[in-house]
Amino acid sequence: GRRAAPPQREVPSVCPYCGVGCQVGFRLRDGRLEEVVGRNGPANQGRLCVKGRFGFDYLGHPDRLTRPLLRIEGAAKDPADCLDPRRARAKFREASWEEAMDRAAAGLLRIRDSIGPQALAGFGSAKGSNEEAYLFQKLVRTGFGTNNVDHCTRLCHAASVTALLEGIGSGAVTAPFTAAAEADLLLVIGARPTENHPVAATFLKEATTRGAKLVVMDPRGTGLDRFAEEVVRFLPGQDVALLNAILYVVVTEELFDRQFVAARVDGLDALRAHLAGYAPEVMEPICGVPAAQIRHVARLYAGAGAALTLWGMGISQSIHGTDNTRALIALALLCGQVGRPGTGLHPLRGQNNVQGASDAGLIPMMFPDYHRTQDPASRAFLEELWGAPLDPTPGLTVVEIMQAAERGVIRGMYVMGENPAMSDPDVAHARAALARLDHLLVQDLFLTETAALADIVLPASAWPEKNGTVTNTNRQVQLGRAALQPPGEARQDLAIIVDLAQRLGLDWDYAHPREVFAEMTQAMPSLANITWERLEREGSVTYPCGGPDAPGLEIVFGDAFPTPTGRARLVPAGLSNPAELPDAAFPFVLTTGRELEHWHTGTMTRRALVLDRLEPGPTVSLNPAELQRLGATPGERLRVETRRGGVELRARADPGLPEGMAFIPFAYREAAANLLTNPQLDPEGKIPGFKYCAARVMRMAG
Ligand code: SF4
């Protein structure tokens, strides 16, 4: 046959899925995306996972929104519409941008001026660019007049960031995952990188083939287990018991790094006293790990020349997520495993731009670069830069905003690229709350479950259609370039935010994302020495960066921590039970999460043909022994219920799950895992415990 002609053009960009931040090339032929290839970026070195390779059909999917939509007058907002896109769509009519934006602004102004700024809130997005995140929070803070601005980081690493800021003065990773190449030991806890950070997982696996020891700690079996020196399977929800027992061994056997602790760490005496009750033998029945294994792992970790610690949602998505992280940080600090090659603390970031969106200030209690809203100096600096007064009161977080909406306190919302009607815990309440709003403005690619409850839906641009920067889990700021035009009348998100700001009376004028980035470098010292031009040249620059031509610092805090004293702090973590323990009526522990093939609420990946074929529908995974006990076979439809609701889905046998535990991915609208989850929050990180609630599993009648 004829050989295919070479692709006409390759546009360098970044994968829009996970926080690994693989650099991709969008290969175009005749103006259409033909294939996606891995480029030689610092985080992927040419590699891609199945999402980065095959996850782009959503761009041209017939569901793409191409014109603004307005709710037809009198068409009721019904949470049931979230499940039925056709019925939802029938309640909207198409409108011009002029009419839609007029209505959008008028509704926000009406609420702001009649009820007050605190009745408004905004959800920005960790899937958008840094420039969008920055302008979005600036719009909410200066145009709406409130700090009620948050995004889905609240639902993933809020607890990690809280504990990291408290312990070492910075919420970002201290080393990239590629530091694994120089590590003697890798500790992976509460993370499933082979599914959720697949390309990062390849670097971890490589490190083990070079000789690094891998310790995997998780209640479930993981894809890394077969590369591990030691697999620690602990009881769900008992992270603190396990970690404190490890710390107990490190402290009582004097395995810690005396010199490092004396020179750089405070709080040893208080921690030592706190740990007195946490001997491995005492914790063994609580965390389910033999005392001998706890002691062995403690000695392995403390004895390693260089240990890199990586964690994920298993640690943070818990009502004691902050305590889980505190214990983990204490372990690394005690053993001096921060600040040298091959060491570090690395919370594996979920979305492609979780790090950047958080840095840019999509956080209700913090301005860009994590300056607290109550801090007068930070406020004065930004008021001067932005030319607008700022509210010192910290805003509400994601779940708090939904609860306030349910009570009728929040009346208007602007949601850009997020889907709380699928991603919030106890989502029946979240849907009712969204339906109750007087004014809901949603900006997205599709008529999402959240958009189904909107008053106005604005058609936005997808990542391969825009120019912008994103910051990955390694603190690498990377440039994405537009390869395609948004379809129909869909507009650039940045242009929509600016248009709305102007209609709210703000004097904004940004013609290009590079102008926004330039302002960000003024507002955010963390971006010093990183310019748009430099990113165009180099593709990726790590922050912090010491000079216009210097490479960014991959490993930070070699000499001092960014705290007032320069020293880190050990913070004791106490034992507490999960919010809801299994009982006779709800005997299972339900855990939720992602799968390799689908991204979060499925908006994009379920519209990507290959990915949808690989994982076409919702499943509940159970240990084969549990299936047998139920008299059920894999593939059979089961019903899973919690105190919040029930869903029906197909059974899957997974020997990696302990008996008594069930796993449901949260990507599927037809069996939304978050109908089941518990909305109770970690008191400090304000993150819900998506990883643990009590459930029952039943065969369907007939
Ligand atoms: Fe994209 Fe993450 Fe896969 Fe890389 S590992 S291709 S960033 S989803």
Side-chain angles (χ1 to χ4, degrees), residues 87-110:
R87 205 171 82 169
R89 177 64 184 81
K91 294 185 177 179
F92 290 95
R93 66 174 171 85
E94 292 189 341
S96 69
W97 272 102
E98 195 54 34
E99 186 186 6
M101 293 305 288
D102 256 356
R103 284 268 280 270
L108 293 168
L109 287 171
R110 195 170 53 240

Side-chain angles (χ1 to χ4, degrees), residues 42 65 74 87 131 165 220 299 313 402 438 474 542 571 578:
L65 298 171
R87 205 171 82 169
E131 296 73 34
L165 284 171
R220 288 173 71 193
R299 291 166 193 155
M313 302 295 95
M402 299 308 281
D438 297 336
N474 288 342
T542 301
V571 183

Side-chain angles (χ1 to χ4, degrees), residues 427-475:
V427 85
H429 279 265
R431 289 174 186 174
L434 289 166
R436 196 175 169 197
L437 292 169
D438 297 336
H439 188 67
L440 174 58
L441 174 60
V442 174
Q443 176 174 326
D444 215 307
L445 308 179
F446 301 100
L447 196 67
T448 59
E449 293 74 10
T450 302
L453 299 169
D455 295 276
I456 300 160
V457 184
L458 303 173
S461 43
W463 176 246
E465 296 158 359
K466 51 194 168 192
N467 296 306
T469 67
V470 280
T471 308
N472 71 356
T473 190
N474 288 342
R475 286 184 271 107

Side-chain angles (χ1 to χ4, degrees), residues 15 17-18 20-22 48-49 51-52 198-199:
C15 171
Y17 286 106
C18 87
V20 170
C22 297
L48 290 182
C49 81
K51 290 187 290 283
V199 168

Side-chain angles (χ1 to χ4, degrees), residues 180-494:
E182 293 172 278
D184 302 307
L185 184 135
L186 308 171
L187 170 59
V188 178
I189 178 166
R192 310 177 67 75
T194 54
E195 285 143 285
N196 298 325
H197 305 86
V199 168
T202 65
F203 289 92
L204 306 183
K205 292 175 186 174
E206 269 174 22
T208 66
T209 60
R210 180 187 49 73
K213 290 180 176 157
L214 170 65
V215 176
V216 178
M217 309 211 277
D218 205 283
R220 288 173 71 193
T222 82
L224 281 181
D225 290 2
R226 66 183 197 276
F227 296 86
E229 164 105 359
E230 201 67 35
V231 175
V232 182
R233 298 283 290 273
F234 60 98
L235 292 173
Q238 297 303 343
D239 315 59
V240 171
L242 171 65
L243 290 167
N244 274 356
I246 293 175
L247 285 168
Y248 175 96
V249 178
V250 170
V251 170
T252 56
E253 295 188 8
E254 309 253 337
L255 305 175
F256 57 92
D257 184 335
R258 258 171 209 294
Q259 222 177 332
F260 185 87
V261 172
R264 306 194 47 193
V265 183
D266 290 329
L268 177 60
D269 292 340
L271 182 69
R272 194 198 303 266
H274 172 77
L275 290 170
Y278 289 93
E281 292 71 21
V282 181
M283 289 301 106
E284 174 174 328
I286 299 176
C287 67
V289 181
Q293 191 182 23
I294 295 174
R295 289 185 184 277
H296 177 61
V297 166
R299 291 166 193 155
L300 259 186
Y301 184 90
L308 180 66
T309 306
L310 304 111
W311 71 96
M313 302 295 95
I315 283 287
S316 64
Q317 283 182 336
S318 157
I319 60 154
H320 39 88
T322 305
D323 275 335
N324 293 347
T325 320
R326 282 174 176 146
L328 204 51
I329 295 169
L331 182 61
L333 289 175
L334 270 182
C335 300
Q337 297 293 11
V338 181
R340 288 175 293 118
T343 70
L345 287 162
H346 192 115
L348 283 155
R349 299 305 171 131
Q351 304 244 26
N352 60 330
N353 200 31
V354 158
Q355 185 63 57
S358 304
D359 296 346
L362 276 185
I363 303 183
M365 57 294 272
M366 285 160 182
F367 296 132
D369 261 2
Y370 307 94
H371 292 291
R372 299 212 167 258
T373 55
Q374 298 107 315
D375 174 36
S378 307
R379 230 173 30 251
F381 168 75
L382 284 173
E383 284 176 340
E384 168 85 26
L385 181 70
W386 291 348
L390 292 169
D391 185 353
T393 324
L396 301 175
T397 61
V398 163
V399 179
E400 290 171 337
I401 287 171
M402 299 308 281
Q403 289 165 347
E406 199 174 11
R407 292 196 309 273
V409 174
I410 296 282
R411 305 285 285 275
M413 278 184 74
Y414 176 21
V415 179
M416 175 182 78
E418 293 235 319
N419 195 7
M422 279 288 283
S423 60
D424 265 38
D426 191 9
V427 85
H429 279 265
R431 289 174 186 174
L434 289 166
R436 196 175 169 197
L437 292 169
D438 297 336
H439 188 67
L440 174 58
L441 174 60
V442 174
Q443 176 174 326
D444 215 307
L445 308 179
F446 301 100
L447 196 67
T448 59
E449 293 74 10
T450 302
L453 299 169
D455 295 276
I456 300 160
V457 184
L458 303 173
S461 43
W463 176 246
E465 296 158 359
K466 51 194 168 192
N467 296 306
T469 67
V470 280
T471 308
N472 71 356
T473 190
N474 288 342
R475 286 184 271 107
Q476 286 149 348
V477 183
Q478 308 201 85
L479 188 65
R481 296 169 176 87
L484 299 160
Q485 291 288 325
E489 293 178 23
R491 280 172 83 183
Q492 295 286 333
D493 295 78
L494 212 58

